[in-house]
Amino acid sequence: MENLPCEGCKGLCCGPVPITEKELKNIKKKLKSMPSKMRLELKNQQRFVGTCIFYDIQKDRCGIHAVRPEICRMFGYYKELVCFRKPAVATKTMDTSTIAKHIGILSLDYTWKDFE
């Protein structure tokens, strides 16, 4: 699978991010295992409005990459979630019948206070 040209985007495509109950649990578990210094550095970053609260603006990448939500894993590779910098990579079509029910959106419904 071809990689997306994410470097330099500063998280412009990272939001809004709907999450499922399972993803919420995985994110909470990941954050608890993260060193407190790293967690605080991620939490205290200034991001563009609407950008995911876990986007690491300093490193220009996802701060919870190993447990990122399904929609983040799908972004850029599906015609419904095209990367504006490399639209040709989006060759798949989403099967909405397999998508789990979302319980909220990171940055709107779930903020850092929900993960402390």
Side-chain angles (χ1 to χ4, degrees):
M1 187 179 307
E2 193 174 349
N3 289 333
L4 297 176
C6 296
E7 193 171 304
C9 287
K10 300 295 181 197
L12 291 174
C13 300
C14 299
V17 180
I19 60 171
T20 65
E21 191 168 338
K22 181 180 179 185
E23 291 167 342
L24 177 63
K25 289 177 185 176
N26 289 339
I27 293 168
K28 285 183 176 184
K29 185 177 178 182
K30 170 73 172 178
L31 290 173
K32 283 183 182 178
S33 69
M34 188 182 283
S36 59
K37 182 181 178 191
M38 186 184 294
R39 191 172 50 246
L40 281 173
E41 286 174 359
L42 187 60
K43 176 184 176 185
N44 292 325
Q45 293 179 22
Q46 295 295 312
R47 296 169 186 84
F48 294 112
V49 174
T51 299
C52 178
I53 61 174
F54 299 117
Y55 182 77
D56 190 332
I57 195 88
Q58 294 172 350
K59 295 178 182 171
D60 197 19
R61 64 180 182 196
C62 179
I64 58 164
H65 191 267
V67 295
R68 69 194 184 281
E70 181 181 24
I71 196 157
C72 302
R73 297 171 191 274
M74 296 169 61
F75 184 82
Y77 300 103
Y78 288 80
K79 294 175 183 176
E80 297 84 356
L81 300 167
V82 175
C83 169
F84 71 93
R85 292 178 71 189
K86 203 164 189 182
V89 176
T91 58
K92 299 178 182 181
T93 302
M94 291 174 64
D95 178 2
T96 56
S97 68
T98 62
I99 297 175
K101 181 174 173 24
H102 295 115
I103 58 169
I105 297 175
L106 291 175
S107 302
L108 297 175
D109 302 312
Y110 294 96
T111 62
W112 272 100
K113 68 178 169 61
D114 296 297
F115 296 96
E116 296 175 339

